[in-house]
Amino acid sequence: MITGTPLRGSVFNESLVFAGQLLTKWRRAPVVPIQSVLFPTFLLITYYLLVGKSVLNITGTDSLYGLVPTCAIAGAFSGALAAGLAMSLERDSGLLSQLWALPVHRASALIGRMLAEAIRTLASTAVILIVGIGLGLRFHGNVVSLLLFLLVPVLVVIVFSLMVIAVAVRAKDGTVLIWLALPAITAVFASSGSPPIESLPSWMWPLLRFQPMEPIVDSMRILSQGGFPASQLLIGLAWTTLGIVVISPLAIRGYRVAAESGGVQG
Amino acid sequence: MSAVVALTERTVRATLRSDLPLAIVAPVGNLIAFNFLLSGVIDTGGMSYAQYVLPVIVIQAVFLGALTTVERAATDQRTEFGKRLGTMPISTVSPLMARMLYCLMRGALSLLAALAVGYAFGFRISGGLGYVLAFTVLTLMFTLALSLAADAAGSSVATAAASQLFVAPQMLLVVLSTGLAPLDSFPDWVHPFVRDQPVSQVTEALRGFAGGHVVASNLIASVAWCAGLFLVFGTLAIRMQRRTE
């Protein structure tokens, strides 16, 4: 019998396997889908009931065009946080170490996780858009606009997931992730998608324009109204690229340290 | 009793760098966020939005505390420490009492933080010391009732992500209440729910205490909700402790 080095698949194929494993896990223990679909759907309906009437009186336009993008991104974030909570448990149980010891590319586990997050976000954004349409939103854009509308939250969630990984693999417990959640979800709501800009104090306008979530939410709002937000998309892309460049090394290093630690129980 | 004190101290030590700072930061952050995001959108008549919204900020902080209570109860039930407590010569309800004592401390801390930042935004309790006391007592009553509900949920589910169960009801009760906006802001068909649910009743009573003129029906409904939650979930929470003996 001839034994040689085991055949290795491509990084992409291995990442797909890891992504599939995560998606299966989420399907069986649906905390992450609940957080990424049920939470933002609930948020959209309740928040629309809260401010819908008032915003219509102030601006004359339906607040759904801002609320649907806001809730889609908030849902993507909360799903990533739920996945992060599970990750610290995986570290403690030694699962990360077991995956690290497999004869696969080192990057595939992390890429697979990002891929799973992207698929989950795509699905949850689609669900939230459907709920929004049910509440009265009319998507005026074409197929390209729709595709971009669904892909923008995916881009954002990759950065946020890296941030969650960087924190979760180092955190002693899940409470630390709440510290990450509060500013992130506040930033989403403190964009033009939620309150009409004219209802805010004028000194806040520059702050609002320069925070990272503003171009993201604004681009989705414009896409749903039938426009093409070239500048917003470019600024959003610049923010996400910067995020990936800054946070990736922290996430990768943290993941490696956690995986090599062997877990609390072994 | 010493077991309760020791277990409470253990929880306080464990949360000094995580949950307790959050108990202060969350109401402060929420008040700032809601005050800026909604004050220009929601019409509260002659009352400033900070004066109007502060009671629900306190209640929301209580709900956030309940989320961490779910997690704590589930952890105590799931881990070796929980099993070890069951073999010790202490009352089976001691861990529950310790968790509730911690929740009351956390609730008081959140209330103080909310009132402090509220004061900076113009919130005032104008009725005098009696009303301040009533405001505090009702808040802590609701904290205890909600914490018992959270504890019962956490003890029964006992999974790592037990707190997620509490997110949807919390959101439903806080957002669809007269805590964030007057009843007229909501569509007509949702008025009965918004008007009669516990968060609306408690926030209206707290707002009454702050203004120095509480409506009797509001106060009775608030106390009834607290007592009802206390009885139902208190019984359940105690039963959950006994079940794991």
Side-chain angles (χ1 to χ4, degrees):
Chain A
M1 193 175 104
I2 301 161
T3 57
T5 52
L7 285 169
R8 292 186 67 163
S10 68
V11 179
F12 181 69
N13 286 345
E14 287 167 359
S15 301
L16 276 178
V17 172
F18 276 111
Q21 176 251 339
L22 259 179
L23 292 167
T24 305
K25 183 184 162 189
W26 292 342
R27 198 179 70 243
R28 287 175 184 165
V31 174
V32 174
I34 283 169
Q35 279 287 79
S36 59
V37 179
L38 207 68
F39 164 75
T41 303
F42 241 80
L43 188 64
L44 175 61
I45 296 165
T46 54
Y47 208 76
Y48 183 58
L49 290 172
L50 173 73
V51 300
K53 216 168 160 182
S54 305
V55 171
L56 194 63
N57 291 341
I58 294 167
T59 63
T61 56
D62 200 332
S63 60
L64 275 172
Y65 290 97
L67 282 178
V68 170
T70 300
C71 292
I73 292 169
F77 282 6
S78 65
L81 285 162
L85 279 170
M87 199 169 187
S88 50
L89 292 170
E90 287 171 10
R91 176 203 61 201
D92 293 344
S93 67
L95 180 64
L96 289 187
S97 301
Q98 287 165 19
L99 295 176
W100 192 252
L102 292 174
V104 292
H105 288 85
R106 288 286 193 230
S108 56
L110 213 50
I111 295 169
R113 189 170 280 274
M114 293 298 105
L115 210 54
E117 290 281 0
I119 293 163
R120 174 188 58 72
T121 302
L122 197 67
S124 65
T125 305
V127 170
I128 292 153
L129 180 59
I130 291 162
V131 172
I133 289 166
L135 288 171
L137 178 129
R138 292 293 164 262
F139 196 92
H140 298 291
N142 55 20
V143 179
V144 176
S145 298
L146 179 62
L147 205 62
L148 283 169
F149 185 94
L150 295 173
L151 287 172
V152 167
V154 171
L155 204 61
V156 183
V157 88
I158 286 169
V159 180
F160 190 69
S161 293
L162 286 168
M163 214 181 286
V164 167
I165 288 166
V167 174
V169 292
R170 290 172 170 88
K172 202 169 68 178
D173 60 19
T175 318
V176 184
L177 288 173
I178 299 173
W179 286 95
L180 190 61
L182 290 173
I185 291 173
T186 302
V188 177
F189 274 86
S191 64
S192 60
S194 182
I197 199 158
E198 53 268 41
S199 74
L200 296 168
S202 55
W203 62 265
M204 279 185 78
W205 296 358
L207 293 173
L208 204 71
R209 287 206 178 90
F210 293 113
Q211 63 108 339
M213 287 300 115
E214 169 60 24
I216 306 286
V217 173
D218 208 28
S219 64
M220 289 176 78
R221 185 173 55 79
I222 294 165
L223 284 165
S224 67
Q225 289 172 330
F228 189 78
S231 63
Q232 284 91 338
L233 284 171
L234 282 170
I235 296 164
L237 197 63
W239 269 118
T240 49
T241 307
L242 181 70
I244 289 168
V245 167
V246 172
I247 298 153
S248 289
L250 296 171
I252 292 163
R253 195 182 308 135
Y255 189 90
R256 189 174 66 236
V257 169
E260 287 172 354
S261 70
V264 169
Q265 292 143 25
Chain B
M1 199 62 198
S2 59
V4 174
V5 174
L7 287 169
T8 308
E9 188 189 348
R10 175 184 172 269
T11 308
V12 170
R13 283 180 190 275
T15 56
L16 266 175
R17 287 184 182 170
S18 52
D19 189 39
L20 285 177
L22 195 67
I24 298 165
V25 172
V28 171
N30 282 333
L31 181 61
I32 293 167
F34 281 132
N35 194 60
F36 285 129
L37 298 181
L38 295 179
S39 60
V41 177
I42 306 292
D43 180 23
T44 54
M47 194 184 288
S48 76
Y49 194 67
Q51 184 75 20
Y52 184 88
V53 85
L54 190 118
V56 87
I57 297 296
V58 172
I59 298 302
Q60 200 176 23
V62 169
F63 266 108
L64 186 63
L67 286 179
T68 63
T69 305
V70 176
E71 208 72 63
R72 206 167 295 111
T75 305
D76 278 2
Q77 207 79 320
R78 198 177 66 242
T79 57
E80 291 299 318
F81 180 74
K83 294 188 183 95
R84 212 178 309 149
L85 281 177
T87 65
M88 286 181 174
I90 57 169
S91 166
T92 43
V93 292
S94 288
L96 172 67
M97 285 168 73
R99 288 195 296 268
M100 291 307 105
L101 193 57
Y102 170 78
C103 288
L104 286 172
M105 286 163 66
R106 190 194 190 283
L109 196 63
S110 287
L111 177 61
L112 272 171
L115 290 174
V117 76
Y119 193 86
F121 277 89
F123 175 82
R124 298 290 182 272
I125 298 180
S126 52
L129 191 63
Y131 282 101
V132 173
L133 208 63
F135 193 102
T136 306
V137 169
L138 183 57
T139 301
L140 294 179
M141 270 176 72
F142 194 65
T143 302
L144 190 59
L146 216 56
S147 299
L148 281 166
D151 202 282
S155 297
S156 61
V157 177
T159 62
S163 63
Q164 314 305 328
L165 298 169
F166 232 65
V167 173
Q170 176 216 345
M171 199 188 302
L172 187 73
L173 291 170
V174 171
V175 180
L176 293 186
S177 74
T178 55
L180 289 173
L183 195 62
D184 296 340
S185 304
F186 295 93
D188 296 341
W189 61 270
V190 84
H191 280 193
F193 173 79
V194 172
R195 185 180 54 243
D196 299 320
Q197 58 114 324
V199 172
S200 290
Q201 295 294 339
V202 174
T203 50
E204 288 294 341
L206 291 175
R207 207 173 284 129
F209 288 140
H213 45 80
V214 71
V215 180
S217 60
N218 259 142
L219 185 57
I220 292 163
S222 300
V223 173
W225 269 115
C226 288
L229 288 167
F230 191 86
L231 278 170
V232 173
F233 291 108
T235 308
L236 273 173
I238 291 167
R239 190 171 288 176
M240 290 313 303
Q241 304 310 305
R242 298 258 159 86
R243 195 191 72 173
T244 56
E245 244 183 315

